[in-house]
Amino acid sequence: RKEVEQDPGPFNVPEGATVAFNCTYSNSASQSFFWYRQDCRKEPKLLMSVYSSGNEDGRFTAQLNRASQYISLLIRDSKLSDSATYLCVVKGGPGSQGNLIFGKGTKLSVKP
Amino acid sequence: GAVVSQHPSWVICKSGTSVKIECRSLDFQATTMFWYRQFPKQSLMLMATSNEGSKATYEQGVEKDKFLINHASLTLSTLTVTSAHPEDSSFYICSASLPTGLETQYFGPGTRLLVL
């Protein structure tokens, strides 16, 4: 089983749609969780951290279910500029030197 | 936010040559820098963790003699791909974490390497 798994997509949605991405991780000792976005041929950029109680940043809502080892990202009222690949990222547990483990990403394409 | 630069942004070289990539933290001192590699449509894979003043820690399967890492100062880490081959063609990205903790990593813009 891969350490971080995501649906590769692509998700093709119209502007204004709501889209949800899912991610599962295999190491129950993982401590921190993030969503990054990566534009084509660019470096990843932190979108938001994911907290156990769930958190929201504007149109973006992230949720974590530790029992199920499941992370989600919800994007409301999607914009053309949201088109990118969304990476689920997990920080390893104790002894991992703070290493980040990346999923392959889910590609989102928002159409006019 | 913290800024990390990489140089060069892209490089094309002949098979057998060595290529050096620089990673700099521009507005902060980074005790730890990370080197990643990303093949097309694949996830970022950590190659090594670089700590200032000490030897890098390489991930399993990454040849330390082929990918030489030097972290001589708190703002500069270099990755040298020695005797590059076409299969080394990839997108190499560095990141740096703030001295306050390893929670957030700031990524450089990446270096695209093509070995002919």
Side-chain angles (χ1 to χ4, degrees):
Chain A
R1 182 183 174 185
K2 293 178 184 173
E3 292 192 76
V4 179
E5 289 203 67
Q6 293 181 252
D7 181 341
F11 283 47
N12 297 307
V13 303
E15 270 187 292
T18 295
V19 60
F21 302 138
N22 303 321
C23 170
T24 56
Y25 60 96
S26 61
N27 187 347
S28 59
S30 299
Q31 294 184 329
S32 305
F33 311 89
F34 311 90
W35 283 101
Y36 279 72
R37 72 170 275 168
Q38 186 175 23
D39 292 285
C40 188
R41 305 175 79 84
K42 299 285 188 181
E43 77 278 17
K45 293 187 177 177
L46 179 65
L47 179 65
M48 59 196 301
S49 301
V50 187
Y51 302 117
S52 297
S53 55
N55 49 298
E56 188 174 304
D57 183 1
R59 298 181 292 109
F60 299 85
T61 301
Q63 294 199 313
L64 167 66
N65 185 322
R66 284 188 185 270
S68 302
Q69 294 176 208
Y70 169 91
I71 308 160
S72 67
L73 176 69
L74 184 77
I75 305 176
R76 291 183 300 278
D77 188 24
S78 53
K79 312 290 184 191
L80 296 176
S81 57
D82 293 334
S83 297
T85 296
Y86 289 82
L87 308 176
C88 178
V89 183
V90 174
K91 180 183 173 184
S96 69
Q97 299 182 306
N99 292 349
L100 298 181
I101 301 168
F102 288 79
K104 281 190 179 181
T106 300
K107 186 173 182 179
L108 171 66
S109 181
V110 182
K111 307 290 187 184
Chain B
V3 179
V4 176
S5 70
Q6 268 184 255
H7 178 80
S9 55
W10 58 271
V11 59
I12 301 174
C13 69
K14 292 183 179 179
S15 186
T17 60
S18 293
V19 176
K20 180 187 278 189
I21 302 170
E22 293 185 349
C23 177
R24 293 181 186 273
S25 56
L26 297 184
D27 51 359
F28 67 101
Q29 294 183 328
T31 51
T32 304
M33 288 185 171
F34 304 85
W35 286 97
Y36 296 84
R37 180 168 56 181
Q38 185 178 34
F39 292 107
K41 298 188 179 181
Q42 298 296 312
S43 57
L44 269 75
M45 296 299 295
L46 180 66
M47 299 175 67
T49 303
S50 167
N51 292 296
E52 185 268 337
S54 62
K55 290 184 179 179
T57 303
Y58 289 80
E59 294 300 298
Q60 192 172 12
V62 178
E63 300 175 57
K64 60 179 68 176
D65 293 331
K66 180 169 179 64
F67 298 98
L68 302 179
I69 291 173
N70 185 289
H71 194 159
S73 78
L74 286 171
T75 59
L76 174 63
S77 176
T78 61
L79 168 68
T80 301
V81 183
T82 62
S83 187
H85 288 97
E87 57 266 30
D88 297 323
S89 300
S90 189
F91 189 40
Y92 291 85
I93 309 175
C94 72
S95 72
S97 57
L98 292 170
T100 53
L102 298 174
E103 193 70 8
T104 302
Q105 291 184 20
Y106 297 92
F107 287 84
T111 297
R112 204 160 290 279
L113 171 64
L114 177 60
V115 184
L116 302 176

